[in-house]
Amino acid sequence: MHKIQKFTIALLAFLAVAFAPPAGAASAEKRMALVIGNAAYQAGALATPANDAGLIAQTLQAAGFDVIGARDLDEDSLRHAFRDFVDNASKAGPETVVAVYFAGYGLQLEGENYLVPIDANIGRDSDVPVRALRLSDYTHALTALHLKATIVILDAARANPFSISGQPLAGGLALMEPEPGMLIAFNATPGTVAPEGQDGYGPYAKALAEMIREGGCRRPGCSTAFVCASTR
């Protein structure tokens, strides 16, 4: 079978497990989601993340997830939100499906992806690991919990608003190798930047919401996504 066909089948199977209705009232499966929309950046405000996060939160709630939503988080609040979510997931047990959606600015540096809080003051490449959250710290922490499935969605491949001295930052997000039982999705292929929305919502968030509702990718906007999936 062709490699792309194998990947597509694996991806759809992963989505079927993650977003299918629970087996019944007696099911032990839990569903938890952390949804963050950062828009009010000091370095340059964004138009759609608050709306995008609201849309995804509503869609995940309809899919049976208990959603923790937040917007416009500064560095301290963003770190606490992720730490608290990992702690709550650890208490939920192995029959848990977790989803994380982040809309805002993302940066890559030396092969790592970073989520940027709204108050980040980044003037040099060396500021990135200090002022932003390294995503792999949290994907590793979630993987260590051996959950049923983990979905991490970054709607964050945007034009860099910071004036950087030192080593120039590569555009977009860096390719990530998914951990076992994890799906990672970007709103653009690695190293590229996605277009901004024109009607209050980003095209990726709208396509993603429909994909979650329908359990597959049927809209042209889905083609802007880059997805890595891994099964146990």
Side-chain angles (χ1 to χ4, degrees):
M1 187 181 297
H2 194 277
K3 181 178 181 181
I4 294 178
Q5 291 177 315
K6 288 182 179 180
F7 173 79
T8 301
I9 291 172
L11 172 58
L12 293 178
F14 193 107
L15 290 174
V17 170
F19 294 119
S27 174
E29 179 183 294
K30 297 181 181 179
R31 297 182 173 191
M32 303 170 52
L34 175 64
V35 178
I36 297 172
N38 271 5
Y41 282 93
Q42 297 175 5
L46 293 169
T48 68
N51 291 340
D52 294 338
L55 174 62
I56 298 303
Q58 292 173 0
T59 306
L60 288 174
Q61 285 177 331
F65 283 78
D66 292 326
V67 178
I68 299 171
R71 62 178 61 178
D72 293 335
L73 298 184
D74 60 19
E75 181 182 342
D76 186 61
S77 298
L78 189 59
R79 294 186 188 278
H80 274 93
F82 272 88
R83 285 199 298 265
D84 290 347
F85 185 72
V86 172
D87 287 344
N88 289 335
S90 71
K91 298 172 184 175
E95 289 299 312
T96 303
V97 176
V98 302
V100 176
Y101 172 85
F102 176 85
Y105 283 118
L107 300 174
Q108 65 161 304
L109 177 67
E110 298 178 347
E112 294 278 1
N113 289 316
Y114 293 85
L115 309 182
V116 183
I118 61 168
D119 62 341
N121 182 12
I122 298 175
R124 295 184 56 85
D125 56 318
S126 57
D127 292 333
V128 175
V130 178
R131 302 299 182 188
L133 277 69
R134 186 169 65 176
L135 180 64
S136 62
D137 291 342
Y138 300 97
T139 58
H140 293 333
L142 289 170
T143 300
L145 302 179
H146 303 292
L147 303 172
K148 184 174 182 179
T150 302
I151 304 108
V152 178
I153 303 167
L154 300 187
D155 197 347
R158 305 175 188 272
N160 176 15
F162 302 102
S163 299
I164 304 290
S165 60
Q167 177 183 336
L169 299 181
L173 300 171
L175 177 67
M176 293 184 67
E177 185 69 26
E179 310 265 1
M182 180 173 289
L183 178 147
I184 299 174
F186 299 162
N187 61 329
T189 54
T192 68
V193 174
E196 294 294 330
Q198 301 297 321
D199 60 353
Y201 292 89
Y204 181 64
K206 291 190 293 184
L208 177 65
E210 184 165 326
M211 181 180 71
I212 294 171
R213 286 193 295 265
E214 297 183 358
C217 188
R218 298 180 176 88
R219 287 186 53 168
C222 290
S223 64
T224 64
F226 181 85
V227 183
C228 299
S230 176
T231 55
R232 297 186 191 279

